[in-house]
Amino acid sequence: MTQQLKLGIPKGSLESSTLSLFKQAGWNISPRSRNYFPSIDDREINCALVRSQEMAPYVANGTLDLGLTGHDWILEREVENEVEEICELVYSKSSDQPCRWVLVVPKDSPIQSIEDLQGKKISTELVSFTRRYLAQRGIEAEVEFSWGATEAKVVEGLVDAVVEITETGSTIRAHGLRIVCDILHTETRLIANRQAMQDPFKRRKIEQIATLLQSALRARKKVALKMNVPAGNLEQVVALLPSLHAPTVNHLFDKEWLAVETVVDSGQVRDLIPSLQAAGAEGILEYELRKMV
Ligand SMILES: Nc1ncnc2c1ncn2[C@@H]1O[C@H](COP(=O)(O)OP(=O)(O)OP(=O)(O)O)[C@@H](O)[C@H]1O
Ligand SMILES: O=P(O)(O)OC[C@H]1O[C@H](OP(=O)(O)OP(=O)(O)O)[C@H](O)[C@@H]1O
Ligand SMILES: [Mg+2]
């Protein structure tokens, strides 16, 4: 019988971005209607959809061998020392950026700093982490659990402040709220069960998944550029390209021309292309990358 790795896919905010990342990494995971065990095109993996809040304890106790969840919920559940953190994977619900847990108040609130929370009432989903954060700073405040729609509670005046996660900032803006300070920066993490890492089959599989997920994320920030350059302009063109990656240079059939190929940050391209053209490059092609190992 084929050995299998038990993999936890986060259900909820991270679900769809996680499925897209696995697709780019080389695995097709297909959710099944009303079923929390999606199918995956790899007989060595058995997938389960698990809430992000519950992922880390399940990985710690061996119900799952490997899982993805936010750093926030690993800390909230206090199991950071009971799981093996394989790598950070910087992506969220709608971007490849980390999220922030922030202390938020109405615009006209007298609360200006964390110290002003003394004796106040706060609502959050991240109760345990928030309590520890305040205790470490000697602040005594009442922290109550929120089941969601947390921003509304501070607008309605049910509490003095909320500690909420924000990614794009649109929910905070939509409620006309003010951020007092950041409490925690969080991104997705790949975590493994300690015993699973001692099993040669599971360890190999975990390392394969980690390498491919990381290389897929890395590739999203880069593009490949290819161009033809007259031999006499080569130095000038190469000088414009980031020095970290020496470009590949090949001869074209016409010996007067060279083909130059390189990988650059996608954010640089719009400035780079006009400069390359001005330096004599022609037939410039930009293409997306799937993986960068
Ligand atoms: N834009 C985002 N909003 C909320 N959580 C996000 C976002 N991007 C990434 N996350 C991560 O997703 C995890 C929480 O996801 P989850 O779906 O379990 O909670 P939720 O979005 O509050 O769920 P619910 O649908 O019950 O509101 C956390 O680890 C958090 O850091
Ligand atoms: O900064 P933004 O990009 O707007 O994202 C942050 C919002 O998204 C989440 O809400 P969710 O959809 O989980 O609803 P909930 O408040 O009911 O949990 C989170 O709780 C914030 O409200
Ligand atoms: Mg939520």
Side-chain angles (χ1 to χ4, degrees):
M1 210 183 90
T2 321
Q3 257 191 296
Q4 283 196 313
L5 183 87
K6 293 170 283 179
L7 169 66
I9 299 290
K11 176 173 159 41
S13 283
L14 289 172
E15 185 174 338
S16 126
S17 47
T18 300
L19 297 186
S20 318
L21 182 62
F22 269 87
K23 188 166 177 55
Q24 190 186 338
W27 285 276
N28 285 302
I29 301 175
S30 317
R32 294 191 263 224
S33 171
R34 297 307 309 148
N35 182 316
Y36 297 125
F37 298 94
S39 68
I40 181 164
D41 59 351
D42 184 337
R43 288 195 307 151
E44 294 182 339
I45 304 176
N46 191 354
C47 268
L49 280 178
V50 174
R51 292 287 295 173
S52 299
Q53 293 83 344
E54 296 174 324
M55 189 73 77
Y58 281 143
V59 170
N61 73 19
T63 305
L64 296 168
D65 297 316
L66 184 68
L68 297 101
T69 186
H71 183 50
D72 43 8
W73 285 102
I74 302 172
L75 296 177
E76 175 68 13
R77 301 305 303 268
E78 299 185 59
V79 288
E80 63 271 28
N81 297 321
E82 294 166 41
V83 295
E84 187 125 345
E85 201 175 288
I86 307 298
C87 59
E88 282 184 4
L89 296 165
V90 185
Y91 71 94
S92 299
K93 183 188 197 166
S94 25
S95 71
D96 287 340
Q97 299 294 325
C99 289
R100 304 151 63 199
W101 283 87
V102 288
L103 177 71
V104 176
V105 296
K107 276 220 174 85
D108 58 359
S109 163
I111 297 170
Q112 299 296 337
S113 73
I114 190 96
E115 286 75 27
D116 299 334
L117 289 179
Q118 192 69 35
K120 298 284 197 269
K121 192 168 165 187
I122 303 155
S123 185
T124 183
E125 289 179 59
L126 212 66
V127 171
S128 159
F129 182 88
T130 303
R131 283 191 183 138
R132 276 181 279 146
Y133 186 93
L134 295 174
Q136 280 161 9
R137 286 156 184 79
I139 298 159
E140 283 178 37
E142 188 187 336
V143 181
E144 65 166 38
F145 177 69
S146 169
W147 291 92
T150 313
E151 291 87 348
K153 291 170 185 161
V154 76
V155 175
E156 290 159 353
L158 300 176
V159 291
D160 301 294
V162 297
V163 169
E164 240 307 10
I165 192 165
T166 178
E167 181 181 358
T168 63
S170 42
T171 313
I172 289 175
R173 267 195 306 277
H175 289 88
L177 299 170
R178 166 163 61 84
I179 295 177
V180 176
C181 63
D182 288 27
I183 305 281
L184 174 70
H185 285 200
T186 179
E187 67 290 297
T188 314
R189 303 261 166 127
L190 185 67
I191 49 170
N193 174 265
R194 289 250 153 92
Q195 263 142 21
M197 288 301 282
Q198 304 306 315
D199 175 313
F201 160 79
K202 290 182 177 176
R203 189 188 182 95
R204 176 186 63 75
K205 202 70 201 166
I206 289 167
E207 285 170 353
Q208 178 197 10
I209 293 170
T211 301
L212 290 167
L213 292 178
Q214 283 176 292
S215 73
L217 271 184
R218 210 176 288 130
R220 288 181 183 178
K221 296 192 160 42
K222 303 278 184 182
V223 292
L225 281 182
K226 203 170 175 176
M227 68 211 82
N228 295 331
V229 181
N233 296 46
L234 183 65
E235 296 287 321
Q236 213 184 328
V237 165
V238 169
L240 292 170
L241 300 173
S243 55
L244 191 65
H245 304 283
T248 308
V249 180
N250 285 313
H251 279 283
L252 294 189
F253 182 70
D254 177 348
K255 288 279 189 279
E256 295 298 303
W257 285 81
L258 297 159
V260 175
E261 203 168 351
T262 193
V263 170
V264 299
D265 290 344
S266 41
Q268 292 183 318
V269 173
R270 64 178 186 211
D271 293 326
L272 201 51
I273 286 181
S275 315
L276 291 167
Q277 265 186 314
E282 288 182 16
I284 303 172
L285 300 177
E286 173 189 335
Y287 41 96
E288 287 185 357
L289 301 168
R290 297 275 296 170
K291 294 186 187 67
M292 246 184 87
V293 186

